[in-house]
Amino acid sequence: MDQQCILALDKITKRFPLTDSCNKYFYALDTVSLSIHRNDFVVLGGANGSGKSLLMTIMAGLVKPSSGKVSRTSPVGLIFQNPDTQILGETPWEDVSIGPRNLGIKEPELSAIIRHSLEAVDLHHKAHFPARNLSGGEKRRLATAGIRAMDRQLIIFDEPFANLDYPSVRRTTSLLAQLHQEGKTIVVLTHEIEKCLALANRFMVLHNGRLVFDGLPQDGLTQNLEDWGIRNPLNHYSSLQDLLWN
């Protein structure tokens, strides 16, 4: 890995046996190689079932590949599609405190980190509100605040626009842009590429467990994305810049 590469996958394969009694396998990921560089904004597109979420867990070290090598320079922050799976505190304040507290950060620095993290995602006014009563969009922002509080350089978002209304989509895209401007490296896994591709400097496509494209967003839009189960935004918009949700 060069100095600017913070995560690299080399011929990653993940396979599962088709039955208990034979040596036939289903390859959920098949020889995937890619690299993520510091301050990249990567959109990794793919239809549902293409292997995106599995790839994310391998990137973060939560799942071991069947073969291949994963190299990373620091821990990875994950924002799951269902934020309820990673919100553990009774309130936003309590939830955001868990990560930095486990890292050994103590008061008064701890409170300052929690406050800043909640302010950054516009949840400071609900710091002591029951976390279970937050909206879906607010829960995703809370999960982001929790990762932010641990100062992760690389943050991976899994389908961050799922089940969000228009105002929440706009707020999410603004948050992604803000994190990137602050120097974070962002990877967005999504089949809704029209909502964030204009923010990206790189575009990748995963199809049936294989990486079938890795290049510039504008070059990706010249591909026949429908063959890979992805809607091409240029069917409805004239240019990449028309996709900015501002």
Side-chain angles (χ1 to χ4, degrees):
M1 293 173 64
D2 62 55
Q3 290 185 345
Q4 291 301 311
C5 183
I6 62 175
L7 185 142
L9 306 183
D10 183 23
K11 298 179 181 178
I12 293 298
T13 295
K14 185 65 178 178
R15 66 182 190 178
F16 299 93
L18 288 173
T19 68
D20 294 333
S21 58
C22 72
N23 292 323
K24 295 183 178 180
Y25 296 91
F26 164 69
Y27 283 80
L29 294 172
D30 192 356
T31 58
V32 174
S33 296
L34 59 85
S35 59
I36 307 295
H37 293 83
R38 187 172 296 276
N39 209 34
D40 266 345
F41 192 126
V42 178
V43 171
L44 199 160
N48 291 331
S50 61
K52 301 190 303 296
S53 297
L54 176 59
L55 185 64
M56 175 185 75
T57 58
I58 290 175
M59 286 177 169
L62 300 180
V63 173
K64 291 184 178 180
S66 302
S67 62
K69 181 181 179 182
V70 181
S71 303
R72 65 182 73 83
T73 62
S74 62
V76 178
L78 302 182
I79 311 297
F80 291 96
Q81 179 175 345
N82 180 4
D84 285 318
T85 62
Q86 65 187 110
I87 294 175
L88 304 177
E90 291 295 321
T91 66
W93 185 277
E94 180 182 337
D95 188 73
V96 174
S97 75
I98 294 173
R101 193 187 300 276
N102 287 339
L103 292 174
I105 298 174
K106 302 184 184 303
E107 298 290 0
E109 183 183 2
L110 178 62
S111 289
I113 288 173
I114 298 169
R115 187 178 304 108
H116 177 71
S117 297
L118 288 173
E119 288 174 350
V121 299
D122 196 23
L123 282 178
H124 56 287
H125 61 295
K126 291 190 174 181
H128 303 290
F129 189 81
R132 64 182 179 276
N133 292 341
L134 296 175
S135 70
E138 288 172 333
K139 287 178 179 178
R140 282 201 181 93
R141 282 153 44 208
L142 174 55
T144 304
I147 295 299
R148 184 195 191 101
M150 293 188 289
D151 196 27
R152 296 295 189 239
Q153 169 60 39
L154 171 58
I155 306 177
I156 304 177
F157 292 80
D158 187 14
E159 297 290 358
F161 309 109
N163 304 314
L164 296 186
D165 58 15
Y166 179 75
S168 295
V169 169
R170 290 188 60 184
R171 179 166 278 179
T172 299
T173 57
S174 295
L175 178 58
L176 292 171
Q178 173 189 328
L179 289 168
H180 189 235
Q181 289 168 2
E182 292 172 358
K184 300 298 184 184
T185 303
I186 305 296
V187 177
V188 179
L189 313 181
T190 183
H191 67 280
E192 302 176 271
I193 64 170
E194 69 278 2
K195 294 175 179 173
C196 56
L197 192 59
L199 300 174
N201 68 304
R202 292 178 63 196
F203 179 38
M204 302 179 185
V205 178
L206 195 67
H207 178 63
N208 291 337
R210 286 181 171 270
L211 192 68
V212 294
F213 180 83
D214 182 357
L216 297 174
Q218 55 267 36
D219 294 337
L221 293 177
T222 67
Q223 306 295 311
N224 193 351
L225 296 178
E226 283 78 8
D227 285 349
W228 300 326
I230 303 173
R231 296 187 303 269
N232 193 323
L234 295 190
N235 292 339
H236 303 284
Y237 298 91
S238 59
S239 72
L240 185 61
Q241 290 307 303
D242 290 337
L243 302 179
L244 286 170
W245 288 61
N246 50 25

